[in-house]
Amino acid sequence: MKNGIFESEFAKGFINLCEMGWQKGWHERNGGNLSYRIKKEEIAPYLDSLCRTGEICGIGVTLPHLAGEFFMVTGSGKYMSNVKGDPENCLAVIEILPDGGHFRTVAGLSAGGRPTSELPTHLMGHDARMSATDGSRRVIYHCHPANLIAMTFLLPLEDRVFSKELWEMMTECPIIFPAGVGVVKWMVPGGAEIARASVEKMKTFDAVVWAHHGIFCAGDDFDNTFGLCHTVEKAAEIWIKVRSVAESKRQTITKDEFVELAKAFGVELNTDFLD
């Protein structure tokens, strides 16, 4: 029996982001994943239709701030290219149990399966961004944009270096991600080590680059989150093009101009990355 939650307005936004990422070419095979912390008023109409007697699974960590929260997430091994046509099979709604250390799937994955293998990283990231933004961040998106991945083979894997290079590529960048980006060295995906390293970065940054792998972006809503990822990748594309024709830049935005830009748009720029 179909569950109406996959026809809700927030589900439509979730599905649309999956489709846009697929169309951009950021989700080869079953690559990438997405999660959304559902608002209380959004989940309320569907509570009676949820299956709350299923298997209880451990998260691997205890996240008391997430106790009682519901999340929509992509399924492990599911293809972003199939989400639009079959969301009830490709997506899951999970409930975090009162102990903050376990969850159960309450809707979706109609043909079987489990939530994304990156679920611990997503949930730990949600916990970190909730604390850092008074709960405003609700979306976490992971994808594999080619130009940004290419940059991780050429630049030192340092927050400051990546942030400044990306900011210089396009005027909008320091406005859209004024804190910069965090960078995590290569680690085996899906494990505790990369989850801990990513979450440490997400205490500060909405965008975290995984070397030779991809990016995690957090945002208030689906458009904001996709827009952040799109902006970072477009800046990376420009950087790759510049680097392909010249060893160094002839001119760029100066430190004083960055400060002037931040003042004009009322954003708090991480000026430590400009020195």
Side-chain angles (χ1 to χ4, degrees), residues 28 35 55 57 73 77 89 94-95 108 111 119 123 135 137 141 160 170 179 195 227-228 235 254 268:
E28 72 294 335
S35 62
E55 178 188 4
C57 304
V73 301
N89 175 36
I94 66 169
E95 177 185 14
L119 185 63
L123 294 179
R137 301 295 190 266
Y141 176 44
R160 177 188 175 280
M170 202 164 57
L228 172 58
T254 68
E268 188 175 346

Side-chain angles (χ1 to χ4, degrees), residues 52-59 95 97 99 101-105 114:
R52 305 175 81 174
T53 60
E55 178 188 4
I56 294 175
C57 304
I59 297 171
E95 177 185 14
L97 299 188
D99 67 357
H102 295 81
F103 74 92
R104 61 186 162 203
T105 300
R114 299 177 65 84

Side-chain angles (χ1 to χ4, degrees), residues 8 18 27 35 37 39 56 60 65 67 83 104 116 141 152 165 176 184-185 195 199 216 220-221 225 238-239 251 275:
S8 64
C18 293
H27 297 285
S35 62
R37 181 167 56 88
K39 297 177 181 178
I56 294 175
H65 293 127
V83 170
R104 61 186 162 203
T116 171
Y141 176 44
T152 69
E165 290 291 333
I176 293 172
V184 173
K185 70 176 184 178
V199 168
F216 264 81
D220 297 353
D221 56 36
T225 309
I238 296 169
W239 189 91
Q251 60 269 323
D275 295 326

Side-chain angles (χ1 to χ4, degrees), residues 127-149:
D127 184 66
R129 293 315 290 157
M130 278 178 66
S131 298
T133 65
D134 292 326
S136 70
R137 301 295 190 266
R138 290 187 171 272
V139 182
I140 291 184
Y141 176 44
H142 170 52
C143 60
H144 304 157
N147 292 287
L148 185 63
I149 294 171

Side-chain angles (χ1 to χ4, degrees), residues 250-264:
R250 177 172 293 180
Q251 60 269 323
T252 186
I253 307 170
T254 68
K255 178 179 179 178
D256 289 344
E257 288 169 339
F258 274 123
V259 172
E260 182 183 356
L261 180 66
K263 183 178 179 180

Side-chain angles (χ1 to χ4, degrees), residues 172-209:
E172 288 78 9
C173 289
I175 301 167
I176 293 172
F177 51 100
V181 300
V183 184
V184 173
K185 70 176 184 178
W186 187 89
M187 300 179 192
V188 176
E193 182 184 16
I194 196 168
R196 286 192 295 267
S198 301
V199 168
E200 193 60 34
K201 298 292 184 181
M202 294 189 86
K203 292 177 181 178
T204 303
F205 305 105
D206 276 325
V208 177
V209 179

